[in-house]
Amino acid sequence: MLIYPKGIFKEPWTRSPRGFPQFREIDHKKKNFWFTMNRPWTEEFQRDNNVHYDIPIQPLLEWSFFRGDLVEIMVGPDKGKQGHVNYIVEERNWICVEGLNCKYSTVGKEKDYPGMMVKEEKPLLVTNEVKLVDPSDNKPTDVEWRFLEDGSKIRISTRTGREIPIPLQNEETIDYKTKATYKEQPKDTPSSAVEKLTFKPKLATFEMDLMEEYNIKEERVPKPTFWY
């Protein structure tokens, strides 16, 4: 915490105070964030970011878990149980499984009141704590991404070679359940305008496009140059 004149308290990554000649006007932005179960646009996430040390995270080439996937837990007291993914924190390689790997805590306990039991689903690492379930035999398996002839990517079980489709629940947002059932609102850009082709890629340069537009023909022959 930095202490500025006149009782101004600012974190090191926030805006420097204006109106003081000893401070340069610059916005200090935090680059390394402490990612938790709270999403970056919440106030809880800002309070969690009082921690100023890095977290070692195993990098993943491709993310293979989506909301609605059926997974099996490989560690802990719920080992061997299967459930559906309902929450994802991709920045920490975390997922939460509905109703599994829960932590129970008592809230509001007093002398004459026993309190209330609260259940909280704790995150699991996708690297070694959960695996996707193969729909052909309902057993855990590793997956890999493969390309089809039309260029689309699908998930394939490395054990049986069967496709593991991405659930429709992954398309759900605040505005719609699925993309197909969404109704255009008055302030939305019409789908016809979005699908309209307005740009055609070419190998020609900007100057070549101008010459073609204004029907300019180049008949000059450049002199040969030699580089030694």
Side-chain angles (χ1 to χ4, degrees), residues 20-57:
F20 300 98
Q22 66 269 34
F23 294 103
R24 186 176 60 164
E25 293 189 2
I26 188 173
D27 292 340
H28 303 278
K29 296 182 179 180
K30 184 177 174 63
K31 297 182 179 180
N32 298 324
F33 293 96
W34 169 271
F35 288 97
T36 63
M37 295 294 291
N38 302 311
R39 305 317 295 146
W41 50 85
T42 60
E43 295 181 1
E44 292 81 1
F45 179 83
Q46 297 180 6
R47 290 196 295 265
D48 293 339
N49 270 267
N50 291 328
V51 183
H52 305 292
Y53 56 87
D54 297 333
I55 307 170
I57 300 175

Short mmCIF file of all heavy atoms in Angstrom, two decimals, residues 20-57:
data_model
loop_
_atom_site.label_atom_id
_atom_site.label_comp_id
_atom_site.label_asym_id
_atom_site.label_seq_id
_atom_site.Cartn_x
_atom_site.Cartn_y
_atom_site.Cartn_z
N PHE A 20 -0.32 16.82 -7.82
CA PHE A 20 0.89 16.88 -7.02
C PHE A 20 2.09 16.87 -7.95
O PHE A 20 2.25 15.95 -8.75
CB PHE A 20 0.97 15.71 -6.04
CG PHE A 20 -0.19 15.65 -5.08
CD1 PHE A 20 -1.27 14.82 -5.32
CD2 PHE A 20 -0.21 16.45 -3.95
CE1 PHE A 20 -2.34 14.77 -4.44
CE2 PHE A 20 -1.27 16.41 -3.07
CZ PHE A 20 -2.33 15.57 -3.32
N PRO A 21 2.98 17.88 -7.90
CA PRO A 21 4.09 17.94 -8.86
C PRO A 21 5.10 16.83 -8.69
O PRO A 21 5.84 16.54 -9.62
CB PRO A 21 4.71 19.33 -8.56
CG PRO A 21 4.31 19.63 -7.15
CD PRO A 21 2.97 19.01 -6.96
N GLN A 22 5.16 16.20 -7.50
CA GLN A 22 6.16 15.17 -7.29
C GLN A 22 5.74 13.82 -7.88
O GLN A 22 6.52 12.86 -7.84
CB GLN A 22 6.47 15.01 -5.79
CG GLN A 22 5.30 14.48 -4.96
CD GLN A 22 4.44 15.58 -4.41
OE1 GLN A 22 4.27 16.60 -5.05
NE2 GLN A 22 3.92 15.38 -3.21
N PHE A 23 4.51 13.73 -8.41
CA PHE A 23 4.05 12.48 -9.00
C PHE A 23 3.79 12.68 -10.48
O PHE A 23 3.17 13.66 -10.88
CB PHE A 23 2.75 12.00 -8.32
CG PHE A 23 2.94 11.61 -6.89
CD1 PHE A 23 2.53 12.48 -5.87
CD2 PHE A 23 3.52 10.42 -6.55
CE1 PHE A 23 2.70 12.12 -4.55
CE2 PHE A 23 3.69 10.06 -5.23
CZ PHE A 23 3.29 10.91 -4.23
N ARG A 24 4.30 11.79 -11.28
CA ARG A 24 4.04 11.83 -12.71
C ARG A 24 2.66 11.23 -12.99
O ARG A 24 2.29 10.21 -12.42
CB ARG A 24 5.11 11.03 -13.47
CG ARG A 24 4.99 11.14 -14.98
CD ARG A 24 6.10 10.43 -15.67
NE ARG A 24 6.12 9.01 -15.35
CZ ARG A 24 6.78 8.09 -16.03
NH1 ARG A 24 7.49 8.45 -17.08
NH2 ARG A 24 6.76 6.83 -15.67
N GLU A 25 1.91 11.89 -13.88
CA GLU A 25 0.57 11.41 -14.18
C GLU A 25 0.66 10.18 -15.07
O GLU A 25 0.92 10.27 -16.27
CB GLU A 25 -0.24 12.52 -14.86
CG GLU A 25 -0.53 13.70 -13.95
CD GLU A 25 -1.50 14.67 -14.57
OE1 GLU A 25 -1.97 14.39 -15.69
OE2 GLU A 25 -1.80 15.70 -13.95
N ILE A 26 0.43 9.03 -14.49
CA ILE A 26 0.51 7.77 -15.22
C ILE A 26 -0.41 6.77 -14.55
O ILE A 26 -0.63 6.83 -13.33
CB ILE A 26 1.97 7.24 -15.26
CG1 ILE A 26 2.07 6.04 -16.19
CG2 ILE A 26 2.46 6.91 -13.87
CD1 ILE A 26 3.50 5.57 -16.41
N ASP A 27 -0.97 5.89 -15.34
CA ASP A 27 -1.83 4.83 -14.83
C ASP A 27 -1.02 3.55 -14.71
O ASP A 27 -0.53 3.02 -15.72
CB ASP A 27 -3.04 4.60 -15.74
CG ASP A 27 -3.99 5.78 -15.71
OD1 ASP A 27 -3.92 6.55 -14.74
OD2 ASP A 27 -4.79 5.93 -16.65
N HIS A 28 -0.85 3.07 -13.49
CA HIS A 28 -0.12 1.84 -13.25
C HIS A 28 -1.09 0.67 -13.32
O HIS A 28 -2.03 0.59 -12.53
CB HIS A 28 0.56 1.87 -11.87
CG HIS A 28 1.49 3.03 -11.70
ND1 HIS A 28 2.78 3.03 -12.16
CD2 HIS A 28 1.30 4.26 -11.14
CE1 HIS A 28 3.35 4.19 -11.88
NE2 HIS A 28 2.47 4.95 -11.26
N LYS A 29 -0.89 -0.19 -14.27
CA LYS A 29 -1.80 -1.32 -14.47
C LYS A 29 -1.13 -2.61 -14.01
O LYS A 29 0.02 -2.88 -14.35
CB LYS A 29 -2.19 -1.43 -15.94
CG LYS A 29 -2.97 -0.23 -16.44
CD LYS A 29 -3.38 -0.41 -17.88
CE LYS A 29 -4.18 0.79 -18.38
NZ LYS A 29 -4.58 0.62 -19.80
N LYS A 30 -1.89 -3.37 -13.27
CA LYS A 30 -1.39 -4.66 -12.79
C LYS A 30 -1.42 -5.66 -13.94
O LYS A 30 -2.41 -5.77 -14.66
CB LYS A 30 -2.26 -5.15 -11.63
CG LYS A 30 -1.77 -6.45 -11.00
CD LYS A 30 -2.65 -6.80 -9.81
CE LYS A 30 -2.29 -8.15 -9.23
NZ LYS A 30 -0.93 -8.16 -8.71
N LYS A 31 -0.32 -6.38 -14.13
CA LYS A 31 -0.22 -7.34 -15.22
C LYS A 31 -0.50 -8.76 -14.77
O LYS A 31 -1.16 -9.53 -15.46
CB LYS A 31 1.16 -7.25 -15.86
CG LYS A 31 1.45 -5.90 -16.50
CD LYS A 31 2.81 -5.88 -17.16
CE LYS A 31 3.09 -4.53 -17.81
NZ LYS A 31 4.42 -4.48 -18.45
N ASN A 32 0.03 -9.15 -13.63
CA ASN A 32 -0.16 -10.51 -13.13
C ASN A 32 -1.27 -10.52 -12.10
O ASN A 32 -1.16 -9.87 -11.06
CB ASN A 32 1.14 -11.04 -12.52
CG ASN A 32 2.26 -11.11 -13.55
OD1 ASN A 32 2.01 -11.41 -14.70
ND2 ASN A 32 3.47 -10.84 -13.11
N PHE A 33 -2.35 -11.24 -12.39
CA PHE A 33 -3.50 -11.26 -11.52
C PHE A 33 -3.56 -12.57 -10.75
O PHE A 33 -3.04 -13.61 -11.18
CB PHE A 33 -4.79 -11.08 -12.32
CG PHE A 33 -4.93 -9.73 -12.95
CD1 PHE A 33 -4.56 -9.52 -14.27
CD2 PHE A 33 -5.41 -8.66 -12.23
CE1 PHE A 33 -4.67 -8.28 -14.85
CE2 PHE A 33 -5.54 -7.41 -12.79
CZ PHE A 33 -5.16 -7.22 -14.10
N TRP A 34 -4.22 -12.50 -9.60
CA TRP A 34 -4.45 -13.66 -8.76
C TRP A 34 -5.87 -14.15 -9.08
O TRP A 34 -6.86 -13.61 -8.64
CB TRP A 34 -4.31 -13.27 -7.29
CG TRP A 34 -4.76 -14.29 -6.32
CD1 TRP A 34 -6.02 -14.44 -5.82
CD2 TRP A 34 -3.98 -15.31 -5.70
NE1 TRP A 34 -6.08 -15.48 -4.93
CE2 TRP A 34 -4.84 -16.04 -4.83
CE3 TRP A 34 -2.64 -15.69 -5.77
CZ2 TRP A 34 -4.38 -17.11 -4.07
CZ3 TRP A 34 -2.20 -16.74 -5.01
CH2 TRP A 34 -3.06 -17.44 -4.18
N PHE A 35 -5.95 -15.19 -9.91
CA PHE A 35 -7.25 -15.69 -10.35
C PHE A 35 -7.80 -16.68 -9.33
O PHE A 35 -7.09 -17.59 -8.89
CB PHE A 35 -7.12 -16.37 -11.72
CG PHE A 35 -6.90 -15.41 -12.84
CD1 PHE A 35 -5.62 -15.17 -13.31
CD2 PHE A 35 -7.95 -14.73 -13.40
CE1 PHE A 35 -5.41 -14.27 -14.34
CE2 PHE A 35 -7.76 -13.83 -14.43
CZ PHE A 35 -6.48 -13.60 -14.90
N THR A 36 -9.05 -16.46 -8.95
CA THR A 36 -9.73 -17.31 -7.99
C THR A 36 -11.07 -17.76 -8.58
O THR A 36 -11.30 -17.62 -9.78
CB THR A 36 -9.95 -16.55 -6.67
OG1 THR A 36 -10.81 -15.42 -6.92
CG2 THR A 36 -8.64 -16.05 -6.10
N MET A 37 -11.95 -18.26 -7.73
CA MET A 37 -13.28 -18.66 -8.19
C MET A 37 -14.14 -17.46 -8.54
O MET A 37 -15.19 -17.61 -9.18
CB MET A 37 -13.96 -19.50 -7.11
CG MET A 37 -13.27 -20.82 -6.83
SD MET A 37 -13.34 -21.94 -8.24
CE MET A 37 -15.08 -22.32 -8.25
N ASN A 38 -13.74 -16.27 -8.14
CA ASN A 38 -14.47 -15.05 -8.49
C ASN A 38 -14.01 -14.56 -9.84
O ASN A 38 -12.81 -14.55 -10.14
CB ASN A 38 -14.23 -13.96 -7.43
CG ASN A 38 -14.65 -14.41 -6.05
OD1 ASN A 38 -15.75 -14.94 -5.86
ND2 ASN A 38 -13.78 -14.22 -5.07
N ARG A 39 -14.95 -14.15 -10.67
CA ARG A 39 -14.62 -13.72 -12.02
C ARG A 39 -14.05 -12.30 -12.03
O ARG A 39 -14.29 -11.52 -11.11
CB ARG A 39 -15.87 -13.80 -12.91
CG ARG A 39 -16.50 -15.16 -12.93
CD ARG A 39 -15.48 -16.29 -13.03
NE ARG A 39 -14.75 -16.30 -14.28
CZ ARG A 39 -13.49 -16.66 -14.40
NH1 ARG A 39 -12.79 -17.04 -13.35
NH2 ARG A 39 -12.91 -16.64 -15.57
N PRO A 40 -13.25 -11.95 -13.06
CA PRO A 40 -12.51 -10.68 -13.05
C PRO A 40 -13.38 -9.43 -12.97
O PRO A 40 -12.87 -8.37 -12.60
CB PRO A 40 -11.73 -10.73 -14.36
CG PRO A 40 -11.60 -12.17 -14.68
CD PRO A 40 -12.85 -12.81 -14.18
N TRP A 41 -14.66 -9.49 -13.30
CA TRP A 41 -15.48 -8.28 -13.30
C TRP A 41 -16.21 -8.07 -11.97
O TRP A 41 -17.06 -7.20 -11.86
CB TRP A 41 -16.51 -8.35 -14.43
CG TRP A 41 -17.28 -9.63 -14.46
CD1 TRP A 41 -18.41 -9.93 -13.75
CD2 TRP A 41 -16.97 -10.78 -15.23
NE1 TRP A 41 -18.83 -11.20 -14.01
CE2 TRP A 41 -17.96 -11.75 -14.94
CE3 TRP A 41 -15.97 -11.10 -16.14
CZ2 TRP A 41 -17.96 -13.01 -15.52
CZ3 TRP A 41 -15.97 -12.36 -16.71
CH2 TRP A 41 -16.96 -13.30 -16.41
N THR A 42 -15.90 -8.87 -10.95
CA THR A 42 -16.57 -8.76 -9.67
C THR A 42 -15.69 -8.02 -8.67
O THR A 42 -14.46 -7.93 -8.82
CB THR A 42 -16.91 -10.15 -9.12
OG1 THR A 42 -15.69 -10.91 -8.96
CG2 THR A 42 -17.82 -10.90 -10.09
N GLU A 43 -16.33 -7.48 -7.63
CA GLU A 43 -15.59 -6.80 -6.57
C GLU A 43 -14.77 -7.78 -5.75
O GLU A 43 -13.70 -7.43 -5.24
CB GLU A 43 -16.56 -6.04 -5.67
CG GLU A 43 -17.30 -4.91 -6.36
CD GLU A 43 -18.23 -4.17 -5.42
OE1 GLU A 43 -18.27 -4.56 -4.23
OE2 GLU A 43 -18.90 -3.22 -5.86
N GLU A 44 -15.26 -9.02 -5.61
CA GLU A 44 -14.50 -10.02 -4.87
C GLU A 44 -13.15 -10.30 -5.53
O GLU A 44 -12.15 -10.54 -4.86
CB GLU A 44 -15.30 -11.32 -4.75
CG GLU A 44 -16.53 -11.21 -3.87
CD GLU A 44 -17.70 -10.58 -4.59
OE1 GLU A 44 -17.55 -10.25 -5.80
OE2 GLU A 44 -18.77 -10.42 -3.97
N PHE A 45 -13.13 -10.28 -6.87
CA PHE A 45 -11.87 -10.51 -7.59
C PHE A 45 -10.87 -9.40 -7.28
O PHE A 45 -9.67 -9.65 -7.12
CB PHE A 45 -12.15 -10.58 -9.08
CG PHE A 45 -10.91 -10.79 -9.92
CD1 PHE A 45 -10.39 -12.05 -10.11
CD2 PHE A 45 -10.27 -9.72 -10.52
CE1 PHE A 45 -9.26 -12.25 -10.88
CE2 PHE A 45 -9.14 -9.90 -11.28
CZ PHE A 45 -8.64 -11.17 -11.46
N GLN A 46 -11.34 -8.16 -7.20
CA GLN A 46 -10.44 -7.05 -6.88
C GLN A 46 -9.89 -7.17 -5.46
O GLN A 46 -8.73 -6.85 -5.22
CB GLN A 46 -11.19 -5.73 -7.06
CG GLN A 46 -11.65 -5.48 -8.49
CD GLN A 46 -12.39 -4.18 -8.65
OE1 GLN A 46 -12.49 -3.39 -7.70
NE2 GLN A 46 -12.94 -3.93 -9.83
N ARG A 47 -10.72 -7.63 -4.53
CA ARG A 47 -10.21 -7.82 -3.17
C ARG A 47 -9.22 -8.97 -3.10
O ARG A 47 -8.24 -8.92 -2.34
CB ARG A 47 -11.39 -8.08 -2.22
CG ARG A 47 -12.26 -6.86 -1.98
CD ARG A 47 -13.13 -7.04 -0.77
NE ARG A 47 -14.09 -8.12 -0.96
CZ ARG A 47 -15.34 -7.93 -1.39
NH1 ARG A 47 -15.76 -6.71 -1.69
NH2 ARG A 47 -16.17 -8.95 -1.52
N ASP A 48 -9.45 -10.02 -3.89
CA ASP A 48 -8.51 -11.14 -3.90
C ASP A 48 -7.15 -10.75 -4.45
O ASP A 48 -6.15 -11.41 -4.15
CB ASP A 48 -9.08 -12.30 -4.73
CG ASP A 48 -10.31 -12.92 -4.09
OD1 ASP A 48 -10.48 -12.73 -2.87
OD2 ASP A 48 -11.08 -13.58 -4.80
N ASN A 49 -7.08 -9.71 -5.26
CA ASN A 49 -5.83 -9.34 -5.90
C ASN A 49 -4.94 -8.48 -5.03
O ASN A 49 -4.06 -7.78 -5.53
CB ASN A 49 -6.11 -8.62 -7.23
CG ASN A 49 -6.18 -9.59 -8.38
OD1 ASN A 49 -5.19 -9.85 -9.05
ND2 ASN A 49 -7.35 -10.17 -8.59
N ASN A 50 -5.14 -8.51 -3.72
CA ASN A 50 -4.18 -7.91 -2.80
C ASN A 50 -2.95 -8.78 -2.65
O ASN A 50 -1.95 -8.36 -2.07
CB ASN A 50 -4.83 -7.70 -1.43
CG ASN A 50 -5.90 -6.62 -1.47
OD1 ASN A 50 -5.79 -5.68 -2.24
ND2 ASN A 50 -6.93 -6.77 -0.65
N VAL A 51 -2.99 -10.01 -3.17
CA VAL A 51 -1.85 -10.92 -3.13
C VAL A 51 -0.94 -10.59 -4.31
O VAL A 51 -1.41 -10.42 -5.44
CB VAL A 51 -2.32 -12.38 -3.21
CG1 VAL A 51 -1.15 -13.33 -3.11
CG2 VAL A 51 -3.32 -12.66 -2.10
N HIS A 52 0.36 -10.49 -4.06
CA HIS A 52 1.29 -10.02 -5.07
C HIS A 52 2.37 -11.06 -5.37
O HIS A 52 3.54 -10.74 -5.48
CB HIS A 52 1.96 -8.72 -4.63
CG HIS A 52 0.99 -7.65 -4.27
ND1 HIS A 52 0.19 -7.04 -5.21
CD2 HIS A 52 0.67 -7.08 -3.10
CE1 HIS A 52 -0.56 -6.12 -4.63
NE2 HIS A 52 -0.29 -6.14 -3.34
N TYR A 53 2.01 -12.31 -5.53
CA TYR A 53 3.01 -13.29 -5.94
C TYR A 53 2.41 -14.17 -7.03
O TYR A 53 1.20 -14.34 -7.14
CB TYR A 53 3.49 -14.14 -4.76
CG TYR A 53 2.40 -14.86 -4.00
CD1 TYR A 53 1.95 -16.11 -4.41
CD2 TYR A 53 1.82 -14.30 -2.87
CE1 TYR A 53 0.96 -16.77 -3.73
CE2 TYR A 53 0.82 -14.95 -2.18
CZ TYR A 53 0.40 -16.20 -2.61
OH TYR A 53 -0.59 -16.85 -1.93
N ASP A 54 3.28 -14.71 -7.86
CA ASP A 54 2.86 -15.49 -9.02
C ASP A 54 2.48 -16.91 -8.61
O ASP A 54 2.99 -17.45 -7.62
CB ASP A 54 3.96 -15.54 -10.07
CG ASP A 54 4.26 -14.15 -10.63
OD1 ASP A 54 3.35 -13.31 -10.60
OD2 ASP A 54 5.40 -13.94 -11.07
N ILE A 55 1.61 -17.51 -9.40
CA ILE A 55 1.18 -18.88 -9.17
C ILE A 55 1.68 -19.74 -10.33
O ILE A 55 1.38 -19.44 -11.49
CB ILE A 55 -0.35 -18.97 -9.09
CG1 ILE A 55 -0.88 -17.98 -8.05
CG2 ILE A 55 -0.80 -20.38 -8.77
CD1 ILE A 55 -2.38 -17.85 -8.07
N PRO A 56 2.46 -20.78 -10.08
CA PRO A 56 2.89 -21.64 -11.18
C PRO A 56 1.72 -22.44 -11.74
O PRO A 56 1.06 -23.19 -11.02
CB PRO A 56 3.94 -22.56 -10.52
CG PRO A 56 3.59 -22.56 -9.07
CD PRO A 56 2.99 -21.21 -8.77
N ILE A 57 1.45 -22.27 -13.02
CA ILE A 57 0.34 -22.94 -13.68
C ILE A 57 0.88 -23.71 -14.87
O ILE A 57 1.65 -23.18 -15.68
CB ILE A 57 -0.73 -21.93 -14.15
CG1 ILE A 57 -1.28 -21.18 -12.94
CG2 ILE A 57 -1.86 -22.62 -14.89
CD1 ILE A 57 -2.25 -20.08 -13.30
#
